[in-house]
Amino acid sequence: MTEPAAAQGTAEESGLRRHERRQLRDMPLVQPVEGEVLTISAGGMAVRTWSGLAVNKEYFFTFGAPGSRVRMRGRVVWCRMVPSADPHYGDWLPPYRAGIEFVISSP
């Protein structure tokens, strides 16, 4: 599967991003799958999960620490398996990374 240019980093290098991204530490993703939020912006987020997410499917994503969780609707723009050299994950369970575009409904 080929990722869009933004997922490969070329959009960031050329200044084409619509929203500024913020890197996060220890921001758990609890629904629809367990994982963590890596970066977030006004338009979406990048996540690392232990299960793949269906591209073009909309989910309600719940993330954040207990007591301050946020629930947002988002559409999966891309998802790919990324083997990790990090011993925390081990070689037997490579994590997935996905790009999520927030979906804002009009009243």
Side-chain angles (χ1 to χ4, degrees):
M1 179 175 121
T2 304
E3 290 178 33
Q8 296 173 350
T10 55
E12 182 177 76
E13 293 167 8
S14 63
L16 297 177
R17 290 203 178 273
R18 288 185 288 172
H19 304 285
E20 182 180 348
R21 294 185 310 173
R22 299 282 181 195
Q23 288 193 319
L24 300 174
R25 283 189 80 181
D26 303 322
M27 174 69 71
L29 173 66
V30 294
Q31 285 184 342
V33 294
E34 290 186 23
E36 64 183 320
V37 179
L38 302 172
T39 63
I40 195 164
S41 74
M45 62 185 173
V47 299
R48 178 169 40 206
T49 67
W50 287 266
S51 309
L53 296 167
V55 174
N56 290 320
K57 184 171 180 178
E58 288 187 11
Y59 297 91
F60 279 98
F61 292 88
T62 304
F63 54 94
S68 62
R69 292 217 163 117
V70 174
R71 186 170 188 240
M72 294 286 297
R73 190 169 81 182
R75 182 178 64 85
V76 179
V77 178
W78 58 269
C79 183
R80 65 184 170 111
M81 185 182 285
V82 180
S84 175
D86 187 333
H88 173 74
Y89 301 111
D91 292 336
W92 58 275
L93 185 62
Y96 290 82
R97 289 194 183 204
I100 312 301
E101 179 181 44
F102 292 137
V103 176
I104 309 299
S105 300
S106 304

Short mmCIF file of all heavy atoms in Angstrom, two decimals, residues 27-31 37 40 45 60-73 102:
data_model
loop_
_atom_site.label_atom_id
_atom_site.label_comp_id
_atom_site.label_asym_id
_atom_site.label_seq_id
_atom_site.Cartn_x
_atom_site.Cartn_y
_atom_site.Cartn_z
N MET A 27 0.37 9.62 25.51
CA MET A 27 -1.04 9.91 25.26
C MET A 27 -1.71 8.63 24.79
O MET A 27 -1.61 8.26 23.62
CB MET A 27 -1.20 11.01 24.21
CG MET A 27 -2.64 11.27 23.79
SD MET A 27 -3.67 12.03 25.05
CE MET A 27 -2.99 13.66 25.10
N PRO A 28 -2.35 7.89 25.70
CA PRO A 28 -2.93 6.60 25.30
C PRO A 28 -4.15 6.75 24.39
O PRO A 28 -4.94 7.67 24.54
CB PRO A 28 -3.33 5.97 26.63
CG PRO A 28 -3.50 7.10 27.57
CD PRO A 28 -2.57 8.19 27.11
N LEU A 29 -4.24 5.82 23.45
CA LEU A 29 -5.42 5.66 22.61
C LEU A 29 -6.14 4.44 23.15
O LEU A 29 -5.53 3.38 23.29
CB LEU A 29 -5.02 5.44 21.15
CG LEU A 29 -6.12 5.10 20.16
CD1 LEU A 29 -7.07 6.28 19.99
CD2 LEU A 29 -5.53 4.70 18.82
N VAL A 30 -7.40 4.57 23.52
CA VAL A 30 -8.10 3.46 24.14
C VAL A 30 -9.21 2.87 23.27
O VAL A 30 -9.61 1.73 23.49
CB VAL A 30 -8.66 3.84 25.54
CG1 VAL A 30 -7.52 4.10 26.50
CG2 VAL A 30 -9.58 5.02 25.48
N GLN A 31 -9.73 3.61 22.31
CA GLN A 31 -10.75 3.08 21.39
C GLN A 31 -10.52 3.68 20.02
O GLN A 31 -10.11 4.83 19.94
CB GLN A 31 -12.16 3.46 21.85
CG GLN A 31 -12.62 2.67 23.02
CD GLN A 31 -14.07 3.01 23.37
OE1 GLN A 31 -14.59 4.02 22.96
NE2 GLN A 31 -14.70 2.15 24.12
N VAL A 37 -1.31 8.00 20.80
CA VAL A 37 -1.31 9.12 19.88
C VAL A 37 0.12 9.63 19.80
O VAL A 37 0.74 9.93 20.82
CB VAL A 37 -2.26 10.24 20.35
CG1 VAL A 37 -2.23 11.42 19.39
CG2 VAL A 37 -3.69 9.70 20.50
N ILE A 40 -0.54 15.25 17.01
CA ILE A 40 -1.92 15.72 16.86
C ILE A 40 -1.89 17.13 16.32
O ILE A 40 -0.94 17.89 16.56
CB ILE A 40 -2.68 15.63 18.21
CG1 ILE A 40 -4.18 15.76 17.99
CG2 ILE A 40 -2.13 16.64 19.21
CD1 ILE A 40 -5.01 15.30 19.17
N MET A 45 -4.59 13.30 13.55
CA MET A 45 -3.54 12.78 14.41
C MET A 45 -2.88 11.57 13.76
O MET A 45 -3.46 10.95 12.87
CB MET A 45 -4.10 12.41 15.77
CG MET A 45 -5.15 11.33 15.76
SD MET A 45 -5.84 11.10 17.42
CE MET A 45 -7.16 9.95 17.04
N PHE A 60 -14.95 6.30 16.05
CA PHE A 60 -14.88 7.24 17.16
C PHE A 60 -13.62 6.88 17.93
O PHE A 60 -13.49 5.75 18.41
CB PHE A 60 -16.12 7.17 18.06
CG PHE A 60 -17.27 7.94 17.50
CD1 PHE A 60 -18.26 7.29 16.79
CD2 PHE A 60 -17.34 9.31 17.66
CE1 PHE A 60 -19.33 8.00 16.25
CE2 PHE A 60 -18.41 10.03 17.13
CZ PHE A 60 -19.40 9.37 16.42
N PHE A 61 -12.68 7.81 18.01
CA PHE A 61 -11.42 7.61 18.71
C PHE A 61 -11.51 8.22 20.09
O PHE A 61 -11.92 9.38 20.24
CB PHE A 61 -10.27 8.26 17.93
CG PHE A 61 -9.99 7.57 16.62
CD1 PHE A 61 -10.66 7.94 15.47
CD2 PHE A 61 -9.07 6.54 16.56
CE1 PHE A 61 -10.41 7.31 14.27
CE2 PHE A 61 -8.82 5.89 15.36
CZ PHE A 61 -9.49 6.27 14.22
N THR A 62 -11.14 7.46 21.10
CA THR A 62 -11.09 7.96 22.47
C THR A 62 -9.64 7.90 22.92
O THR A 62 -9.00 6.85 22.81
CB THR A 62 -11.97 7.10 23.40
OG1 THR A 62 -13.30 7.08 22.89
CG2 THR A 62 -11.98 7.66 24.81
N PHE A 63 -9.13 9.04 23.38
CA PHE A 63 -7.73 9.09 23.78
C PHE A 63 -7.55 10.06 24.94
O PHE A 63 -8.40 10.88 25.22
CB PHE A 63 -6.83 9.48 22.60
CG PHE A 63 -7.22 10.74 21.90
CD1 PHE A 63 -6.64 11.95 22.24
CD2 PHE A 63 -8.16 10.73 20.88
CE1 PHE A 63 -7.00 13.13 21.59
CE2 PHE A 63 -8.51 11.89 20.21
CZ PHE A 63 -7.93 13.09 20.57
N GLY A 64 -6.42 9.91 25.61
CA GLY A 64 -6.10 10.77 26.74
C GLY A 64 -6.04 9.99 28.04
O GLY A 64 -6.39 8.82 28.10
N ALA A 65 -5.60 10.66 29.07
CA ALA A 65 -5.47 10.06 30.39
C ALA A 65 -6.86 9.90 31.02
O ALA A 65 -7.77 10.68 30.73
CB ALA A 65 -4.59 10.93 31.28
N PRO A 66 -7.03 8.91 31.90
CA PRO A 66 -8.31 8.78 32.60
C PRO A 66 -8.66 10.09 33.31
O PRO A 66 -7.82 10.74 33.88
CB PRO A 66 -8.04 7.66 33.62
CG PRO A 66 -6.92 6.86 33.03
CD PRO A 66 -6.07 7.87 32.30
N GLY A 67 -9.92 10.48 33.21
CA GLY A 67 -10.37 11.74 33.81
C GLY A 67 -10.29 12.93 32.86
O GLY A 67 -10.90 13.96 33.12
N SER A 68 -9.54 12.79 31.76
CA SER A 68 -9.46 13.89 30.79
C SER A 68 -9.47 13.34 29.37
O SER A 68 -8.77 13.84 28.50
CB SER A 68 -8.20 14.73 31.04
OG SER A 68 -7.04 13.93 30.87
N ARG A 69 -10.26 12.32 29.15
CA ARG A 69 -10.32 11.68 27.83
C ARG A 69 -11.12 12.52 26.84
O ARG A 69 -12.05 13.22 27.22
CB ARG A 69 -10.93 10.29 27.95
CG ARG A 69 -10.01 9.36 28.72
CD ARG A 69 -10.03 7.97 28.17
NE ARG A 69 -8.87 7.26 28.66
CZ ARG A 69 -8.94 6.19 29.43
NH1 ARG A 69 -10.11 5.69 29.77
NH2 ARG A 69 -7.84 5.59 29.82
N VAL A 70 -10.73 12.41 25.58
CA VAL A 70 -11.38 13.11 24.48
C VAL A 70 -11.92 12.06 23.52
O VAL A 70 -11.27 11.04 23.29
CB VAL A 70 -10.37 14.03 23.75
CG1 VAL A 70 -10.99 14.66 22.53
CG2 VAL A 70 -9.81 15.07 24.70
N ARG A 71 -13.10 12.32 22.97
CA ARG A 71 -13.69 11.42 21.97
C ARG A 71 -13.92 12.21 20.70
O ARG A 71 -14.63 13.22 20.71
CB ARG A 71 -14.99 10.84 22.50
CG ARG A 71 -15.58 9.78 21.59
CD ARG A 71 -16.76 9.09 22.30
NE ARG A 71 -17.20 7.95 21.53
CZ ARG A 71 -18.42 7.82 21.05
NH1 ARG A 71 -19.34 8.75 21.27
NH2 ARG A 71 -18.73 6.75 20.37
N MET A 72 -13.30 11.78 19.60
CA MET A 72 -13.41 12.47 18.32
C MET A 72 -13.73 11.45 17.23
O MET A 72 -13.24 10.33 17.27
CB MET A 72 -12.09 13.15 17.95
CG MET A 72 -11.66 14.28 18.84
SD MET A 72 -12.62 15.78 18.61
CE MET A 72 -12.24 16.23 16.93
N ARG A 73 -14.51 11.89 16.26
CA ARG A 73 -14.76 11.05 15.09
C ARG A 73 -13.66 11.33 14.09
O ARG A 73 -13.27 12.49 13.85
CB ARG A 73 -16.12 11.35 14.49
CG ARG A 73 -16.50 10.31 13.43
CD ARG A 73 -17.94 10.45 13.05
NE ARG A 73 -18.04 11.54 12.09
CZ ARG A 73 -19.18 11.97 11.57
NH1 ARG A 73 -20.32 11.44 11.95
NH2 ARG A 73 -19.19 12.94 10.70
N PHE A 102 -9.64 14.16 11.36
CA PHE A 102 -10.82 14.39 12.16
C PHE A 102 -12.00 14.74 11.24
O PHE A 102 -11.85 15.46 10.26
CB PHE A 102 -10.61 15.51 13.17
CG PHE A 102 -9.62 15.16 14.25
CD1 PHE A 102 -8.67 16.09 14.65
CD2 PHE A 102 -9.64 13.92 14.89
CE1 PHE A 102 -7.76 15.78 15.65
CE2 PHE A 102 -8.73 13.60 15.87
CZ PHE A 102 -7.79 14.53 16.25
#
